[in-house]
Amino acid sequence: MSDYQQLPQHDRQDDPQDDEPSRPAWVLSRNQKIVLLVAATALLATSAYLIGASNEFAHHPVDFQQAGISLERFEAGLSKCKAIRRKHKHVYVAPEERLINERFVNGTAPTLFKNGFILDGVSAELQRKDLLVDQGLIVQIGSDIQPPKKTVVVDLKGHIISPGIVDMHSHLGVFGWPYLAATRDFIERIVPVTPYVRSIDGFNPGDLAIERTVSGGVTSSLVLPGSDNVIGGESFAFKLRPVSTLSTEDMMPMSRLGEGWLLREQFEKATLLQHAQDDWCDAAESQPFFGRHRLNTAFPEDLKYESLVGILRDDVRLNIHCYETHDIEAMVRHSNEFKFKIRAFHHGLDAYRVPEVLKRAYKHIPTVATFATSYGYKKEAFQASVNGPKILAEAGISVALKSDHPVINSQHLVYEAQKARHYGLAEDLAFAAVTSVPAKALGLDHRIGKIAIGMDADVVIWERHPLALGARPLQVYIDGIAQIKGVDESEWKQVEKPSKFAEYADLQVDKSAKTCGLDSRTGIFKGIQKIVSKKEEKYNNAGHLKVVLKDGHVICQGLCDHEVQLLRDEKHRQGEAVPEYDLGGKGVLLPALLSVSTLNLGLIEIPTEESTGNGADSLETPMGYAADGLKFGGLHMEEAFKAGILVGVTAPTSAHVVQGVSVAFSTGAKDALSLNDTGILQEKTALHIRIGHSAKSKLFPTISSQIAFLRKKLNDALNRVFEQDDPFALAVRGSLPLVVEVYNRDEMVRLVQVKRDLEHLGARILLVFQGATEAWTIAEHLTENNVGVILQSYHCRPDRWTAQQCLAGPPLTKETGLTALIRAGVKVGLAAEVSESVRELSWTAAEARSDLGLTTQEAAGLLSWNLAELVGIKNADNMGMVLYSGNPFEFGAKVSAIIGGGRPGIACNPRAQ
């Protein structure tokens, strides 16, 4: 890191003897080094040997003699005694007393932000005030500010300005894009206990992800070592402004018992070292340090335990990687045994179940740094709840939301806050969860995380309210310096007071009506504003539209006054009332939404547990059919159903090029025979293939061999084109779409050439690319050759070496991959990248709607009929319908009722069932 500039001392009010050395310009504070403890994995993935146990610090002798150690070493030891015994360890210059940001760049002009609204990172209130920044600090907030000469004036035109987002759990710069062996510097696997490794030593300022992260409004990140080890190492907080400047598996802990022992063993060693240091200091401070009477031993130190001793002395802030309730309680128990404070539990998806246990931690209630909606990706995450952040907050636990980049692309960290707000976290706490709360947990709330006098000039100007769906920054400032190049402020649109988070009334059930449940097959839904289908979009501003069901069948959609009266009369003659459900005039009806992805919905329940899945085919086995391995009733399928994703399309998993034949099924079905065989909607939907690095195997070690194999299989199928049981023959004649998971443009181009060559020989191939990160670069070829795309996902990231041409979207690029494809006339559908995102597909389409100005009907098509056509579902009109309490393409709307989807009758308020 020789290119880093050196900076002056930080502004901490500590003893001068405790001054730390100059540090790289990226580093926000070395004092914020953090030990990450992994206490929540049932089975660790690394293979390494343990540090041998010893008692090198026990009964440490304090020896006097005439000669002793040198005076220099004696005095150095005394200075360290003074440093570790200082009383005010975490006292800082008050923000309002700061005169300059130590990262201020000479020549940076003052900037006055006018005519906007301040969202300060603490309150939900929008303040109509101006903001002046100078010397890298916020120096004035108010009206009629008289700026100094040569001040740059930025007209916000009614937009919101907020503090920069703080990501308190990231591997940015140590797990770089694209993923390569040479860029994985976030875990040291030589041993399972590594408190001495430091993220700063592997941080790469050239990580391509940094620019994108900043474009999402993130200005500071806590960069941690990885989480495989029991003790991971020191973390450092970084500002994201660019600056110029061996292993035996049988010795690895394989259970929580082993983890607990390793952890306690290390803290015992650290405690012994701490006592040895204290004994040395007691002896040294009681003796004159003149003449020849000095200690015979130097101040006891060991780099391996420096961080752990720092935790015991409360000099180092401890963050713990932990998921489940018993793991959380174990760490709380350890904290009281060894008397150390826990600053935060990271991930903590089970923490909402045990808030009182959190409060038992030693002398400090930990913050929970978590995800808003992630769940089910491993056993430890299986009990997560979208209500977790809200429950914790209501119990008095501070909640921070983080990215764990690159697990979640930190460019979209604000999306976590948006989702938490949707699920009930208060508005002020939702935004504070990515600003002031993480800043405080890091001990940096005197400088970052809020807008106030004397705080660092890290601010974000938002195109819309940051908690609104699809919100993106217009510009980002770090230390008072604009970070996004090419922004023309004159192009910003004037807005009125930015609208807050949209909230809709939940489904109101008439008290005289029967309870809407699975046995309900007749009813009237009213208060609907919009009814959307492939054919049309009906709209009634007054919300007078209705949906009428009789004996499980929809008999009318629209005004339906005549049908309503007929049904009421009929039921009246039978001595019954018709159940009526009012959506408050804002209801929206959509057709069933689809999930078509590589996530194997219904074939595997926990991705990290092989026993919960169908397994993977090999080339020696017959071609697999997903329908034969389908399992209904799992958590992921149920969550999809409750979110209105009523149809899943899943292909088998394979270790090579050919995946197999996918199946279309109803996510709400009890089994494959439910409702007269509607559990499985279509047994054979498409033939699925993989091309690229992820499909390399012993049989197909190269991409060349993969494409050659596919070409031969298709060419051979031309000779048996009328065979009914051969998926390749069906694909060649166009009876079965050929869906290829591929990401690289050149590989896609070659596949298009294969299609064209075979079509000259009489083939009719319905080619669809899935994944397709770089498809936008060849959009015209796709349109010309009638190739469809299932984009997975909308928020692409350049994590593959062969698929780095990934459009970041505004404000870095005007287009996204989706917008470019749609503008070129390519038929496109959207798919989820990870299983927990399936239930969020409507929000994904909402961003596309916003970016392209799509109608509700066009946005729905991306998740419904477009996907059905691309994968060859033949009866797409009878897969079910979903009623929402409001616009499903905005936050706040909830699924009020589901008609069909594999279940009888009407499922009302499905998430409550």
Side-chain angles (χ1 to χ4, degrees):
M1 301 200 201
S2 58
D3 293 336
Y4 287 156
Q5 293 179 329
Q6 299 299 306
L7 292 168
Q9 299 295 325
H10 59 91
D11 50 36
R12 193 176 56 178
Q13 275 189 341
D14 282 334
D15 191 288
Q17 296 286 349
D18 189 50
D19 284 347
E20 59 181 277
S22 297
R23 61 187 179 279
W26 284 84
V27 182
L28 183 50
S29 176
R30 185 189 182 278
N31 191 50
Q32 303 309 317
K33 64 183 180 181
I34 300 204
V35 174
L36 176 67
L37 304 183
V38 181
T41 51
L43 184 64
L44 296 182
T46 53
S47 175
Y49 63 83
L50 303 180
I51 300 173
S54 67
N55 291 312
E56 59 261 46
F57 309 123
H59 310 296
H60 195 284
V62 179
D63 220 359
F64 296 93
Q65 66 178 31
Q66 290 294 318
I69 60 174
S70 69
L71 180 60
E72 181 181 3
R73 293 177 69 191
F74 182 77
E75 291 179 339
L78 280 176
S79 68
K80 291 177 180 177
C81 292
K82 191 173 182 180
I84 64 177
R85 291 183 168 184
R86 67 196 187 280
K87 293 181 179 180
H88 304 293
K89 297 183 179 183
H90 305 298
V91 177
Y92 303 92
V93 173
E96 59 271 19
E97 296 177 9
R98 298 176 69 201
L99 299 178
I100 189 171
N101 179 342
E102 60 192 21
R103 283 162 181 76
F104 173 69
V105 176
N106 288 328
T108 303
T111 303
L112 176 63
F113 300 96
K114 299 186 62 176
N115 304 322
F117 294 88
I118 293 175
L119 185 62
D120 65 8
V122 178
S123 166
E125 179 186 358
L126 294 176
Q127 307 171 51
R128 187 81 195 226
K129 295 181 179 179
D130 299 336
L131 183 70
L132 178 65
V133 304
D134 193 11
Q135 302 289 301
L137 300 175
I138 297 171
V139 297
Q140 197 171 349
I141 301 171
S143 303
D144 300 321
I145 295 175
Q146 299 302 313
K149 293 180 179 180
K150 297 184 180 181
T151 295
V152 175
V153 178
V154 177
D155 186 352
L156 298 179
K157 297 182 179 179
H159 291 286
I160 290 173
I161 186 168
S162 80
I165 291 174
V166 180
D167 188 355
M168 71 174 293
H169 187 126
S170 176
H171 305 295
L172 192 71
V174 293
F175 193 174
W177 287 344
Y179 296 157
L180 297 170
T183 61
R184 296 169 64 92
D185 289 318
F186 69 112
I187 297 177
E188 179 49 70
R189 289 187 167 99
I190 57 169
V191 289
V193 181
T194 57
Y196 39 79
V197 301
R198 311 185 306 171
S199 64
I200 189 174
D201 295 330
F203 183 79
N204 174 20
D207 185 352
L208 297 176
I210 293 174
E211 182 184 27
R212 291 179 179 234
T213 296
V214 171
S215 78
V218 179
T219 56
S220 302
S221 291
L222 179 69
V223 178
L224 302 99
S227 52
D228 281 10
N229 296 358
V230 178
I231 304 178
E234 298 181 15
S235 301
F236 285 73
F238 291 81
K239 280 285 191 81
L240 301 185
R241 175 172 62 82
V243 293
S244 55
T245 53
L246 184 215
S247 298
T248 55
E249 291 187 3
D250 58 336
M251 296 184 70
M252 186 65 204
M254 301 301 286
S255 70
R256 288 178 168 88
L257 284 71
E259 290 176 347
W261 158 246
L262 281 177
L263 185 72
R264 296 177 67 240
E265 178 193 43
Q266 294 299 302
F267 270 104
E268 177 68 11
K269 290 182 178 182
T271 300
L272 292 172
L273 177 56
Q274 178 190 21
H275 292 168
Q277 291 176 346
D278 291 342
D279 291 345
W280 193 96
C281 291
D282 287 342
E285 291 172 348
S286 65
Q287 298 297 322
F289 55 85
F290 51 84
R292 297 174 58 81
H293 296 283
R294 295 189 297 272
L295 300 183
N296 189 43
T297 55
F299 181 81
E301 294 181 282
D302 192 320
L303 280 176
K304 290 187 297 184
Y305 302 102
E306 178 187 34
S307 292
L308 298 186
V309 174
I311 290 172
L312 296 174
R313 296 192 185 281
D314 198 26
D315 290 335
V316 170
R317 291 174 177 263
L318 173 62
N319 287 251
I320 298 177
H321 178 292
C322 202
Y323 279 88
E324 297 188 88
T325 58
H326 48 303
D327 295 316
I328 292 170
E329 187 168 20
M331 290 309 308
V332 167
R333 188 183 306 121
H334 297 326
S335 78
N336 285 288
E337 177 182 2
F338 292 100
K339 299 184 177 4
F340 56 77
K341 294 178 183 178
I342 301 172
R343 298 294 177 170
F345 279 106
H346 288 240
H347 299 332
L349 294 182
D350 253 12
Y352 74 96
R353 302 171 64 204
V354 288
E356 297 307 312
V357 171
L358 293 169
K359 295 176 182 179
R360 297 182 206 156
Y362 180 74
K363 285 190 177 181
H364 181 78
I365 301 177
T367 295
V368 175
T370 190
F371 303 115
T373 59
S374 295
Y375 78 101
Y377 50 92
K378 60 180 178 178
K379 186 264 179 186
E380 291 90 341
F382 220 63
Q383 298 174 129
S385 170
V386 294
N387 299 311
K390 174 186 176 183
I391 293 170
L392 286 166
E394 291 177 347
I397 306 297
S398 295
V399 177
L401 296 166
K402 71 330 187 274
S403 71
D404 196 15
H405 178 95
V407 174
I408 291 176
N409 182 352
S410 54
Q411 177 185 359
H412 306 290
L413 178 55
V414 73
Y415 182 49
E416 294 296 296
Q418 295 166 2
K419 293 186 293 183
R421 175 69 187 102
H422 171 84
Y423 287 111
L425 185 62
E427 186 176 338
D428 56 341
L429 299 181
F431 194 59
V434 293
T435 52
S436 57
V437 171
K440 184 174 182 179
L442 297 177
L444 291 167
D445 53 324
H446 63 296
R447 294 184 57 186
I448 61 174
K450 58 188 175 186
I451 288 182
I453 301 298
M455 302 295 288
D456 286 8
D458 300 348
V459 296
V460 183
I461 301 166
W462 297 91
E463 170 261 344
R464 66 187 75 175
H465 194 289
L467 293 181
L469 188 55
R472 291 189 176 101
L474 292 169
Q475 183 57 278
V476 179
Y477 290 77
I478 302 179
D479 303 324
I481 302 172
Q483 299 297 301
I484 302 173
K485 299 176 181 178
V487 172
D488 186 348
E489 298 160 13
S490 66
E491 295 181 355
W492 295 351
K493 296 180 181 179
Q494 181 72 41
V495 297
E496 300 300 326
K497 186 175 181 178
S499 59
K500 290 190 176 183
F501 177 83
E503 296 188 63
Y504 301 97
D506 285 332
L507 175 66
Q508 300 297 311
V509 181
D510 191 318
K511 292 182 179 180
S512 64
K514 294 180 180 180
T515 300
C516 179
L518 296 179
D519 58 345
S520 300
R521 298 178 60 80
T522 297
I524 300 166
F525 289 89
K526 58 187 179 181
I528 299 173
Q529 191 176 68
K530 190 174 291 188
I531 296 177
V532 179
S533 68
K534 181 181 178 180
K535 295 180 180 179
E536 61 182 344
E537 179 178 321
K538 297 177 182 178
Y539 178 77
N540 184 281
N541 187 53
H544 290 161
L545 300 179
K546 304 175 187 69
V547 174
V548 184
L549 286 90
K550 182 180 178 182
D551 300 325
H553 298 284
V554 177
I555 61 173
C556 183
Q557 302 176 45
L559 293 174
C560 301
D561 293 337
H562 178 66
E563 289 79 4
V564 167
Q565 192 59 50
L566 287 176
L567 184 59
R568 285 174 176 166
D569 291 344
E570 179 182 340
K571 290 297 180 180
H572 179 72
R573 290 193 297 271
Q574 297 171 358
E576 299 177 4
V578 181
E580 298 188 20
Y581 315 100
D582 192 344
L583 279 75
K586 298 293 183 180
V588 175
L589 177 70
L590 291 185
L593 304 184
L594 283 71
S595 171
V596 182
S597 70
T598 60
L599 303 173
N600 304 115
L601 182 66
L603 289 186
I604 188 165
E605 189 63 7
I606 307 176
T608 58
E609 298 286 345
E610 291 183 4
S611 65
T612 71
N614 183 51
D617 292 335
S618 68
L619 190 62
E620 290 80 10
T621 61
M623 183 179 295
Y625 291 83
D628 296 331
L630 200 60
K631 302 291 188 297
F632 289 88
L635 175 64
H636 292 92
M637 203 179 287
E638 180 69 12
E639 287 297 309
F641 173 80
K642 290 178 179 180
I645 312 299
L646 305 188
V647 179
V649 177
T650 292
T653 299
S654 171
H656 59 88
V657 173
V658 181
Q659 295 295 95
V661 178
S662 58
V663 60
F665 56 91
S666 296
T667 58
K670 181 180 179 180
D671 52 53
L673 300 179
S674 294
L675 290 175
N676 300 319
D677 298 344
T678 59
I680 290 182
L681 298 168
Q682 188 168 313
E683 192 165 298
K684 301 175 183 178
T685 58
L687 173 59
H688 292 254
I689 304 294
R690 283 193 307 156
I691 297 294
H693 178 71
S694 61
K696 291 176 183 175
S697 64
K698 290 183 179 179
L699 290 169
F700 303 105
T702 66
I703 294 166
S704 301
S705 62
Q706 295 168 10
I707 296 178
F709 173 79
L710 177 60
R711 181 190 294 110
K712 185 177 187 305
K713 292 289 288 186
L714 292 170
N715 193 67
D716 291 348
L718 283 170
N719 299 320
R720 52 181 194 278
V721 69
F722 296 111
E723 292 189 16
Q724 297 298 315
D725 297 327
D726 183 349
F728 280 98
L730 294 172
V732 162
R733 70 169 183 255
S735 298
L736 207 60
L738 182 65
V739 179
V740 183
E741 181 187 352
V742 58
Y743 299 88
N744 175 261
R745 60 168 291 163
D746 296 297
E747 294 162 16
M748 285 185 266
V749 166
R750 194 59 179 158
L751 290 167
V752 170
Q753 290 176 318
V754 171
K755 168 183 162 70
R756 292 172 61 175
D757 291 346
L758 289 167
E759 287 177 341
H760 286 308
L761 299 175
R764 297 178 60 187
I765 298 175
L766 304 177
L767 182 60
V768 178
F769 293 145
Q770 181 150 5
T773 301
E774 295 188 339
W776 67 274
T777 66
I778 56 168
E780 70 281 5
H781 296 313
L782 302 182
T783 303
E784 179 185 351
N785 291 278
N786 194 30
V787 178
V789 170
I790 301 175
L791 202 62
Q792 184 178 322
S793 63
Y794 185 63
H795 291 149
C796 70
R797 48 188 181 178
D799 53 1
R800 291 175 172 85
W801 176 259
T802 54
Q804 296 182 54
Q805 297 186 74
C806 160
L807 290 174
L812 292 181
T813 63
K814 291 184 178 181
E815 294 274 19
T816 66
L818 179 66
T819 62
L821 288 167
I822 290 178
R823 294 189 201 281
V826 180
K827 182 176 289 297
V828 187
L830 290 173
E833 183 180 26
V834 292
S835 55
E836 56 263 38
S837 294
V838 169
R839 63 186 179 192
E840 300 167 11
L841 279 169
S842 63
W843 298 335
T844 302
E847 286 203 51
R849 174 175 177 252
S850 174
D851 290 339
L852 273 162
L854 301 179
T855 65
T856 302
Q857 183 185 29
E858 290 169 330
L862 294 171
L863 302 176
S864 187
W865 50 85
N866 279 17
L867 285 172
E869 291 173 15
L870 288 168
V871 297
I873 295 179
K874 298 176 177 60
N875 192 17
D877 295 332
N878 298 308
M879 299 186 297
M881 294 182 291
V882 187
L883 277 157
Y884 299 85
S885 61
N887 191 329
F889 302 117
E890 294 179 10
F891 283 125
K894 296 178 173 63
V895 174
S896 294
I898 293 172
I899 303 165
R903 297 189 183 179
I906 308 163
C908 286
N909 292 324
R911 201 160 286 283
Q913 293 176 14

